[in-house]
Amino acid sequence: MIPANSSVQLTTSSLNGLMPGIEAYYGANVPVDINFNVTEAGNFVITEDNQELQGEMTVITEWWVHTSEYSRELAATVTLSNTIFGFTVVIDNMNVAMNLQEIKSTDVTIN
């Protein structure tokens, strides 16, 4: 969850560059939830020089727009297949924080 005081918020306006037309269809600054489901993962590599991890994954994302205070509508399902993720991980006691560095996908499907 993104904190309310964060400078980055997931709204139809902030996501319109990634999902053209979402702002025109649902209105400006409407909250959006994006659910991520990693369905495949493998080929992980750790680079000693920069401590970055890299792996191949298939990720299905669901983009849910808040249409009222108590309901959401599925705006799109985006599947990223054959996707390479570069990320770092910080472990502090039992807390794990990930920082995504890059995403490269050769196969994107939008429904």
Side-chain angles (χ1 to χ4, degrees), residues 5-73:
N5 63 351
S6 173
S7 62
V8 175
Q9 294 297 313
L10 299 178
T11 67
T12 52
S13 299
S14 67
L15 295 170
N16 198 61
L18 291 173
M19 187 68 61
I22 195 170
E23 181 181 38
Y25 188 83
Y26 290 101
N29 294 311
V30 178
V32 178
D33 296 331
I34 303 176
N35 298 340
F36 292 83
N37 183 15
V38 177
T39 59
E40 295 179 29
N43 297 326
F44 287 96
V45 176
I46 300 172
T47 305
E48 181 181 6
D49 293 343
N50 61 12
Q51 299 180 358
E52 184 174 293
L53 290 88
Q54 190 174 56
E56 294 179 21
M57 300 179 199
T58 296
V59 178
I60 299 172
T61 63
E62 295 178 334
W63 298 53
W64 293 88
V65 177
H66 291 250
T67 54
S68 72
E69 186 177 350
Y70 300 106
S71 64
R72 302 180 312 161
E73 181 177 309

Side-chain angles (χ1 to χ4, degrees), residues 92-111:
D92 182 19
N93 291 323
M94 293 301 289
N95 296 317
V96 178
M98 291 180 59
N99 184 14
L100 188 61
Q101 304 292 333
E102 67 178 348
I103 301 173
K104 296 178 184 176
S105 185
T106 58
D107 186 7
V108 178
T109 304
I110 301 174
N111 294 321

